[in-house]
Amino acid sequence: MAKSGKSRFAILGMLALLKKSTGYDLKKHMEASTHYFWKESFGSIYPILEDLEKQQLIVKVDEPSRNDRQRNTYKLTSKGREALEHWLVQTPEPLHNRNELLLKLFFGGLSPVEVSTEHLENYQKELEVKLSTYQKIKRELSKDNSLESSYYLITLDHGIRLTKASREWCANAIKTLKAIDIEGE
Amino acid sequence: MAKSGKSRFAILGMLALLKKSTGYDLKKHMEASTHYFWKESFGSIYPILEDLEKQQLIVKVDEPSRNDRQRNTYKLTSKGREALEHWLVQTPEPLHNRNELLLKLFFGGLSPVEVSTEHLENYQKELEVKLSTYQKIKRELSKDNSLESSYYLITLDHGIRLTKASREWCANAIKTLKAIDIEGE
DNA sequence: ATGGGCATGTAAGGAGTTACATGATTCA
DNA sequence: TGAATCATGTAACTCCTTACATGCCCAT
């Protein structure tokens, strides 16, 4: 299980950025950075790590400092680096994401209009929270001037722009529903 | 296989809108409408249809017109309608979508800057195609004044707004990368 | 001494996709 | 008559998540 797929490369890439890491730390770092568009669970991380090692894309590094405590720290091999680079240049597949909110709205006519309105209002609240999180990260990240943080900022900007657009869509959709409601009476 | 999950409700909902349909037609209609945020494969549709019938959420209807040809036309039962309505009012779970483009951009520093630029440019082209498709549908749909099409338009508007925001993000990201490229020389 | 964070791992199952297999009908 | 479309169905497989099991280390 957990053999091919993109998770391998997410892990390789993270390992490349971090230079070396444990499975546990990998997840922590993803939660702090790629969380918005990519996450991994331990149930995928550990088997993949094992597999990557078997294929010699990564190797364990000795941590002489904290001796015994059971922890496996890995780093990329040159073979792993190659595999990562090979994947990086491939055109990403267009994503076909399912969106449950949109599905429910599409079926909106089958419920009272208030149902749809409430879904939208809830979503709006979520968006505000997201947006302020992103903006907080952006502020902190903007201090840093590394190459890495430039790329990070690009992905963050995606989140910010799309969240704002979603917010406007929400507001507009709620207006439209209000009009339906008045008509319907 | 294919027991619970949201696919059931996508099928129930579609069946509610269409009044009655075959599995084959269900897919056709989804491709023509919810395609942007929801699709189903035959490999899920047929087993689910069978299962929904077993649970008496749908029933086969006789099609006296075109007699023999092996086709199963289904419609919702009142129990199915209830199940659908129950699902419709539940707050949709926030989605955790993976985005391969963003992942590759996040790792952008590990490749020449041109790699990231090209990914973005390809994506831009995709977006333009998408956008003109959505706008064409919108034009056609705007003629119609049904309740159904109002909800359809709301989901379409989501596509249009988010695509436009993505387009702007792309343009901006490409600019940022250009700056990195100059710096890096 | 105990709760929380560090750390790894596995088993079971969920949720679907792809590919294949099959055959009727329609229309040019 | 042969390609395209209509139509259904299944088996194998992919890929990941959830939940569980385990145990150390550290600070209060």
Side-chain angles (χ1 to χ4, degrees):
Chain A
M1 269 156 250
K3 277 240 144 192
S4 74
K6 323 253 152 97
S7 293
R8 297 167 67 71
F9 297 104
I11 289 170
L12 283 177
M14 264 295 158
L15 229 32
L17 292 184
L18 298 176
K19 311 302 178 192
K20 63 180 184 180
S21 176
T22 63
Y24 188 86
D25 251 37
L26 233 28
K27 184 154 191 280
K28 283 246 137 177
H29 275 93
M30 284 191 182
E31 262 156 25
S33 57
T34 66
H35 183 256
Y36 146 62
F37 56 86
W38 206 276
K39 40 188 109 165
E40 297 292 341
S41 59
F42 288 129
S44 71
I45 289 174
Y46 288 115
I48 286 175
L49 245 18
E50 212 178 309
D51 196 70
L52 290 173
E53 196 191 11
K54 215 173 285 166
Q55 296 190 14
Q56 298 169 25
L57 303 183
I58 61 176
V59 282
K60 279 195 187 112
V61 297
D62 299 323
E63 293 279 37
S65 47
R66 356 186 184 173
N67 278 351
D68 34 28
R69 185 166 186 173
Q70 188 211 358
R71 41 190 268 132
N72 304 322
T73 304
Y74 296 95
K75 66 165 196 219
L76 282 194
T77 62
S78 58
K79 204 175 154 191
R81 179 82 197 194
E82 267 170 50
L84 174 60
E85 279 167 16
H86 180 260
W87 171 76
L88 276 172
V89 300
Q90 309 297 318
T91 302
E93 288 161 40
L95 25 74
H96 305 291
N97 285 326
R98 289 180 159 195
N99 186 321
E100 196 185 348
L101 172 63
L102 290 184
L103 187 62
K104 288 190 175 172
L105 286 175
F106 186 78
F107 297 143
L110 304 168
S111 286
V113 69
E114 291 78 23
V115 171
S116 299
T117 306
E118 215 186 308
H119 288 328
L120 282 165
E121 283 167 352
N122 286 332
Y123 186 50
Q124 258 185 330
K125 279 173 211 154
E126 267 178 54
L127 290 173
E128 294 302 336
V129 175
K130 258 195 195 176
L131 192 57
S132 63
T133 308
Y134 296 160
Q135 278 166 336
K136 194 177 159 194
I137 297 172
K138 185 178 178 176
R139 252 174 275 131
E140 275 158 36
L141 212 62
S142 297
K143 294 170 198 163
D144 184 5
N145 258 20
S146 68
L147 181 64
E148 248 180 61
S149 71
S150 300
Y151 283 101
Y152 192 164
L153 276 169
I154 288 175
T155 62
L156 237 192
D157 190 44
H158 184 271
I160 290 173
R161 284 174 188 267
L162 285 245
T163 305
K164 282 183 179 169
S166 295
R167 190 171 60 171
E168 279 152 42
W169 165 74
C170 265
N172 217 67
I174 289 169
K175 262 187 219 164
T176 306
L177 292 184
K178 219 164 260 171
I180 289 174
D181 201 21
I182 291 163
E183 258 180 73
E185 267 169 24
Chain B
M1 268 156 249
K3 277 243 145 192
S4 74
K6 324 254 151 98
S7 292
R8 299 167 66 73
F9 298 104
I11 289 171
L12 284 178
M14 265 294 158
L15 229 33
L17 291 183
L18 299 175
K19 311 301 178 194
K20 63 180 184 180
S21 176
T22 63
Y24 188 86
D25 252 36
L26 233 27
K27 184 155 190 280
K28 284 244 137 177
H29 275 93
M30 283 191 182
E31 262 156 25
S33 57
T34 66
H35 183 256
Y36 145 61
F37 55 86
W38 205 278
K39 39 188 110 166
E40 296 293 341
S41 61
F42 288 130
S44 72
I45 289 175
Y46 289 114
I48 286 174
L49 244 19
E50 213 179 309
D51 196 69
L52 290 174
E53 196 192 12
K54 216 172 284 166
Q55 296 189 16
Q56 298 168 27
L57 303 183
I58 62 176
V59 282
K60 279 195 187 113
V61 298
D62 300 323
E63 292 280 36
S65 47
R66 355 185 184 173
N67 278 350
D68 34 28
R69 185 166 187 171
Q70 188 211 355
R71 40 189 268 132
N72 304 322
T73 304
Y74 295 95
K75 68 166 195 215
L76 282 194
T77 62
S78 58
K79 204 174 154 191
R81 178 83 197 193
E82 267 170 49
L84 174 59
E85 279 167 16
H86 181 258
W87 171 77
L88 276 173
V89 300
Q90 308 298 316
T91 303
E93 287 161 40
L95 24 73
H96 305 291
N97 285 326
R98 289 179 159 195
N99 186 321
E100 195 186 347
L101 172 63
L102 291 185
L103 187 62
K104 287 189 176 173
L105 286 175
F106 186 79
F107 296 144
L110 303 169
S111 287
V113 70
E114 291 78 23
V115 170
S116 299
T117 307
E118 215 184 308
H119 288 328
L120 282 165
E121 283 167 353
N122 286 332
Y123 186 50
Q124 256 185 331
K125 281 173 210 152
E126 267 179 54
L127 291 172
E128 293 303 334
V129 175
K130 257 195 197 178
L131 192 57
S132 63
T133 308
Y134 295 160
Q135 279 166 336
K136 195 177 158 192
I137 298 171
K138 186 179 178 176
R139 253 174 274 131
E140 275 158 35
L141 212 62
S142 297
K143 295 170 197 161
D144 185 5
N145 259 20
S146 68
L147 181 64
E148 248 179 63
S149 71
S150 300
Y151 282 102
Y152 192 165
L153 276 170
I154 287 175
T155 61
L156 238 192
D157 190 45
H158 183 271
I160 291 173
R161 284 174 188 267
L162 285 247
T163 305
K164 282 183 179 169
S166 295
R167 190 170 62 170
E168 279 153 42
W169 165 74
C170 266
N172 217 68
I174 289 169
K175 261 188 222 166
T176 306
L177 292 183
K178 219 164 260 170
I180 289 174
D181 201 21
I182 291 164
E183 257 180 75
E185 268 169 23

